[in-house]
Amino acid sequence: MRKIHLVDLQTQYEKIQEEVDTAVLDVVRSTAYINGPEVKSFQSELENYLSVKHVIPCANGTDALQIALMALGCAPGDEVITPSFTYVATAEVIALLQLTPVFVEVNPDTFTIEPEAVRAAITDKTKAVIPVHLYGQCAQMDEVMSIAREHGIGVVEDTAQALGSEYHSAKGSKIKAGTIGDIGCTSFFPSKNLGGYGDGGAMFTNSDELAAKIRRLSNHGQSKRYYHDDIGVNSRLDSIQAAILRIKLRHLNTYIEARNAAAAFYDSKFDPIPQLTIPARCSWSSHGFHQYTLKMTGVDRD
Ligand SMILES: Cc1ncc(COP(=O)(O)O)c(C=O)c1O
């Protein structure tokens, strides 16, 4: 049987090999390995792509979620609402910060958080909610935002699987995933829709105040060299990764189109099989197809 990779990173690399090899060598020769010009250029190019005021790159998507919760001022004992069905990192960072994860159900068709379940889970200890745009489709952000604003809680979007996907707001506008809540977080893990050749992540926000805090927290709590105002972490994106991500960002829409074409092909083959349910497409979001997931009934899944 032919082995089929989840993502064919080899072919993807071969198509941009010359550009990538040159960019990586340029960084090596420049010796600007940390926070060099490539990181700054990537940051502003991603800000343009997302139409968001601030992008703050960091070391990985898990750090991005942790720093986002720290920036919102979450303190031990606070509750954070998160879907019961997500990648472990979402809940892991909540526990790591000694916060209490409060799990709520997801919509069984789209696998994104149920807004009414969020409302029902709010207590006077709730500090934030983390909607996860699982598999590449956005959660119902209009509803989540209005519930969060009503109760004065923060919203951290976990966009690790949906960078480039668009949320269709009730007002008619299309907004990039991760730019709707207070802070959006993403991962540049190699298999992600925008993946580097190692670990990487970023946070997005339209708030100047939160951006300054996030920058400080991801750099040892330092606002000025050797002035450590907060307890922070050391979480930076390497210049080599930034150089690669700059090239791949230019192809991100094409990568997403290719994922959608593959999904349409899978649909045509799987839909006629009665035991399989193909992925639902919701009305409020485009799909980035980070994952193509089938539901099975009446069969042994294993
Ligand atoms: C939904 C979700 N959140 C968070 C993460 C964590 O990202 P990273 O692996 O870059 O730490 C991932 C990636 O695996 C993810 O899929």
Side-chain angles (χ1 to χ4, degrees):
M1 204 196 295
R2 190 158 69 93
K3 193 174 172 190
I4 300 176
H5 294 282
L6 197 62
V7 200
D8 183 359
L9 293 175
Q10 181 69 38
T11 307
Q12 201 190 55
Y13 165 60
E14 283 164 8
K15 287 186 179 165
I16 51 173
Q17 182 168 3
E18 235 174 85
E19 247 186 308
V20 167
D21 292 359
T22 308
V24 169
L25 256 184
D26 283 348
V27 174
V28 173
R29 290 189 179 120
S30 78
T31 74
Y33 306 135
I34 305 281
N35 266 337
E38 291 293 333
V39 177
K40 298 202 168 61
S41 300
F42 172 62
Q43 179 184 314
S44 72
E45 285 159 12
L46 190 55
E47 282 164 358
N48 282 340
Y49 175 83
L50 294 172
S51 297
V52 72
K53 206 163 173 197
H54 303 280
V55 165
I56 304 107
C58 65
N60 55 68
T62 308
D63 278 5
L65 289 165
Q66 180 184 332
I67 296 163
L69 292 176
M70 291 165 77
L72 289 180
C74 294
D78 287 342
E79 293 176 1
V80 178
I81 298 172
T82 188
S84 51
F85 188 67
T86 175
Y87 181 62
V88 67
T90 326
E92 184 181 35
V93 297
I94 299 173
L96 193 72
L97 293 171
Q98 296 179 24
L99 314 170
T100 307
V102 176
F103 295 108
V104 304
E105 292 296 338
V106 293
N107 176 314
D109 296 321
T110 61
F111 307 109
T112 52
I113 203 162
E114 283 282 15
E116 282 314 310
V118 172
R119 187 193 297 282
I122 292 174
T123 71
D124 53 10
K125 287 190 183 158
T126 308
K127 187 79 182 178
V129 55
I130 310 184
V132 181
H133 306 315
L134 205 69
Y135 301 145
Q137 268 184 143
C138 296
Q140 286 162 278
M141 289 306 293
D142 282 340
E143 291 82 351
V144 170
M145 290 309 293
S146 89
I147 295 166
R149 292 298 175 247
E150 206 180 298
H151 293 271
I153 62 173
V155 178
V156 175
E157 293 177 70
D158 184 341
T159 316
Q161 299 194 5
L163 193 70
S165 294
E166 281 182 331
Y167 179 70
H168 304 167
S169 108
K171 289 182 199 124
S173 50
K174 291 186 178 174
I175 313 167
K176 282 282 191 310
T179 66
I180 305 157
D182 297 294
I183 305 171
C185 297
T186 206
S187 161
F188 303 123
F189 184 81
S191 63
K192 293 289 188 277
N193 290 15
L194 178 61
Y197 294 171
D199 276 311
M203 291 148 285
F204 329 126
T205 183
N206 283 306
S207 152
D208 295 340
E209 198 185 323
L210 280 174
K213 203 161 176 198
I214 291 167
R215 278 198 192 95
R216 209 161 59 230
L217 288 169
S218 39
N219 187 23
H220 298 289
Q222 150 175 264
S223 52
K224 198 162 88 177
R225 205 154 190 220
Y226 301 132
Y227 285 77
H228 302 271
D229 306 316
D230 296 299
I231 303 290
V233 296
N234 173 19
S235 187
R236 298 181 283 229
L237 181 71
D238 292 344
S239 299
I240 287 181
Q241 296 308 330
I244 295 162
L245 289 165
R246 284 186 72 197
I247 295 163
K248 292 189 70 178
L249 179 59
R250 300 200 274 274
H251 300 279
L252 178 55
N253 288 346
T254 315
Y255 295 155
I256 292 172
E257 279 163 26
R259 284 171 184 265
N260 272 275
F265 175 74
Y266 293 150
D267 280 352
S268 70
K269 303 296 170 193
F270 292 137
D271 202 24
I273 303 172
Q275 293 92 338
L276 298 181
T277 306
I278 59 167
R281 273 64 154 186
C282 65
S283 57
W284 59 82
S285 174
S286 68
H287 208 319
F289 278 105
H290 173 60
Q291 308 276 333
Y292 181 97
T293 49
L294 291 164
K295 286 197 291 191
M296 298 182 177
T297 34
V299 287
D300 177 354
R301 182 184 176 277
D302 292 335

